[in-house]
């Protein structure tokens, strides 16, 4: 929850530091009349957010990767028993086992890399780093973490997304 509240604070600071600018918001942010205060505050809070998100991501990987490996080991043992029942072990089977082990490793990596939570955490790390290095507007992606951690906000988001086609038709009907 600390990261969620920190992301809200960072985005509120961004909102107030860029609020007096007109047009493109490419100029330096200003907080209480000081550009350096706003930049320093955003960088320090961004580094804290990055460290918190890195710790959360590390513990997520420490928990999920062994679980994925266990699932694949169980599946692999089942496949080996099935192969032993179906045929005798020969040289071709040993080569096939080595190929299957390599295939299993790639399947595990694919399962880990295509997991939505993994993608969200890695995207959060990248965008937070871009917020520190490039521009503070990248911190807005931290709000996705804040929304994902709140059940009520997720329910609101799902209430908009699920009937999305009907809402789109309503909007189109409004303009006709």
């Amino acid at each position: 929850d600390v990261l969620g509240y920190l992301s809200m604070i960072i985005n509120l600071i961004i909102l107030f530091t860029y609020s007096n600018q007109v047009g493109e918001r490419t100029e330096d942010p200003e907080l209480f009349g000081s550009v350096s205060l706003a930049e320093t505050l955003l960088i320090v809070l961004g580094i804290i957010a990055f460290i918190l998100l890195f710790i959360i991501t590390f513990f997520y990987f420490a928990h999920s990767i062994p679980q994925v490996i266990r699932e694949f080991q169980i599946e692999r043992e089942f496949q080996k028993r099935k192969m032993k029942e179906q045929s005798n072990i020969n040289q071709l089977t040993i080569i096939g086992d080595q190929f299957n082990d390599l295939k299993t490793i790639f399947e595990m990596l694919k399962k880990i890399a295509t997991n939505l939570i993994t993608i969200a955490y890695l995207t959060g790390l990248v965008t937070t780093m871009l917020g520190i290095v490039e521009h503070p507007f990248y911190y807005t992606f931290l709000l996705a973490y804040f929304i994902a951690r709140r059940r009520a906000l997720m329910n609101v988001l799902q209430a908009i997304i699920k009937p999305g086609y009907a809402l789109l038709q309503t909007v189109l009907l409004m303009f006709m």
Side-chain angles (χ1 to χ4, degrees), residues 52-53 62 142:
L52 288 173
L53 191 57
L142 285 174

Side-chain angles (χ1 to χ4, degrees), residues 43-106:
I43 288 173
V44 168
L45 291 176
I47 291 171
I48 293 170
F50 181 80
I51 291 169
L52 288 173
L53 191 57
F54 183 80
I55 292 169
I56 291 168
T57 305
F58 175 78
F59 282 113
Y60 168 74
F61 281 134
H63 174 73
S64 68
I65 289 176
Q67 184 177 354
V68 170
I69 290 172
R70 276 193 302 274
E71 289 173 5
F72 273 100
Q73 285 174 341
I74 291 169
E75 183 180 325
R76 182 73 182 125
E77 289 299 320
F78 176 75
Q79 288 174 355
K80 281 184 180 180
R81 273 191 248 125
K82 190 175 177 182
M83 270 180 43
K84 282 182 181 179
E85 291 173 1
Q86 291 178 354
S87 66
N88 294 333
I89 297 178
N90 55 26
Q91 192 68 18
L92 189 60
T93 306
I94 293 170
I95 294 171
D97 279 350
Q98 291 172 350
F99 176 74
N100 281 336
D101 289 341
L102 186 63
K103 180 181 167 189
T104 303
I105 290 171
F106 283 119

Side-chain angles (χ1 to χ4, degrees), residues 7-151:
S7 69
M8 287 296 294
I9 291 168
I10 290 172
N11 282 286
L12 284 173
I13 290 171
I14 291 170
L15 180 68
F16 289 120
T17 57
Y18 285 95
S19 63
N20 8 346
Q21 294 182 10
V22 178
E24 291 186 31
R25 305 212 191 296
T26 55
E27 297 176 22
D28 293 328
E30 209 174 287
L31 185 65
F32 303 118
S34 173
V35 172
S36 62
L37 174 67
E39 288 177 344
T40 305
L41 187 60
L42 287 172
I43 288 173
V44 168
L45 291 176
I47 291 171
I48 293 170
F50 181 80
I51 291 169
L52 288 173
L53 191 57
F54 183 80
I55 292 169
I56 291 168
T57 305
F58 175 78
F59 282 113
Y60 168 74
F61 281 134
H63 174 73
S64 68
I65 289 176
Q67 184 177 354
V68 170
I69 290 172
R70 276 193 302 274
E71 289 173 5
F72 273 100
Q73 285 174 341
I74 291 169
E75 183 180 325
R76 182 73 182 125
E77 289 299 320
F78 176 75
Q79 288 174 355
K80 281 184 180 180
R81 273 191 248 125
K82 190 175 177 182
M83 270 180 43
K84 282 182 181 179
E85 291 173 1
Q86 291 178 354
S87 66
N88 294 333
I89 297 178
N90 55 26
Q91 192 68 18
L92 189 60
T93 306
I94 293 170
I95 294 171
D97 279 350
Q98 291 172 350
F99 176 74
N100 281 336
D101 289 341
L102 186 63
K103 180 181 167 189
T104 303
I105 290 171
F106 283 119
E107 286 176 355
M108 283 191 304
L109 291 175
K110 178 183 173 190
K111 185 173 183 176
I112 292 168
T114 57
N115 185 346
L116 288 178
I117 297 172
T118 302
I119 293 170
Y121 283 142
L122 293 178
T123 303
L125 285 171
V126 169
T127 56
T128 304
M129 184 56 71
L130 286 171
I132 295 167
V133 176
E134 187 64 32
H135 198 281
F137 284 174
Y138 285 104
Y139 292 133
T140 56
F141 291 101
L142 285 174
L143 290 175
Y145 180 80
F146 184 75
I147 290 171
R149 299 289 295 168
R150 305 290 181 280
R151 182 175 300 279

